[in-house]
Amino acid sequence: MLKEFKSFIMTGNVIDFAVAVIMAGAMGLVINGFVADIIMPIVGEFAGGVDFANLKYVLTEASGTEGEAGYVAENAVRWGAWVNTIVNLLVVGFVMFIIVKAYNKTKTPPAPAAPAGPSQEELLTQIRDLLKK
């Protein structure tokens, strides 16, 4: 069983998949930072100086002091964070599109099929006809 596991782990597909998952996680952090720190402040500036991350619809206000008895936390629909997530999704989709497009350009097109030559019977027929002359 240990040998089978070792051969399974050492196949190229598993290693490629592991590298892809690690790279995707790192790429996700980079893109999240890009959206949160660069894109959303620009979008907020064009929207009149709004910080989308703090936009919310409060259902129940917080009451009391945090950490004391009787404290009730705020209950709110954080729709601004959802807008940030949608923008993040669009940026991730665009980046993935660019990566796949660049990858497809690096792949070599399949070689054209070799032209079909005459069959053995056709060659023998041609030799026979030449010998008759």
Side-chain angles (χ1 to χ4, degrees):
M1 186 170 174
L2 187 60
K3 260 186 182 176
E4 286 180 55
F5 180 72
K6 182 180 176 184
S7 70
F8 168 73
I9 285 296
M10 297 310 286
T11 60
N13 292 342
V14 173
I15 302 297
D16 292 344
F17 181 68
V19 169
V21 168
I22 292 168
M23 289 301 296
M27 186 67 130
L29 292 174
V30 169
I31 291 173
N32 285 338
F34 177 72
V35 169
D37 299 331
I38 296 174
I39 297 294
M40 289 315 292
I42 293 170
V43 171
E45 187 64 31
F46 285 119
V50 177
D51 180 11
F52 280 91
N54 295 325
L55 295 178
K56 59 188 170 187
Y57 178 76
V58 178
L59 300 172
T60 306
E61 294 283 341
S63 63
T65 306
E66 189 172 353
E68 292 183 3
Y71 171 72
V72 177
E74 177 183 72
N75 185 13
V77 176
R78 297 179 57 224
W79 65 272
W82 185 72
V83 169
N84 281 354
T85 304
I86 296 299
V87 171
N88 195 355
L89 174 70
L90 293 174
V91 171
V92 168
F94 180 71
V95 168
M96 291 307 296
F97 171 75
I98 296 298
I99 289 171
V100 169
K101 189 171 181 174
Y103 172 73
N104 286 339
K105 281 186 179 181
T106 64
K107 291 189 332 186
T108 56
S119 67
Q120 186 175 2
E121 289 81 18
E122 291 171 342
L123 288 174
L124 289 173
T125 304
Q126 288 176 5
I127 292 172
R128 183 196 67 202
D129 291 345
L130 287 173
L131 288 174
K132 281 185 180 178
K133 291 182 181 180

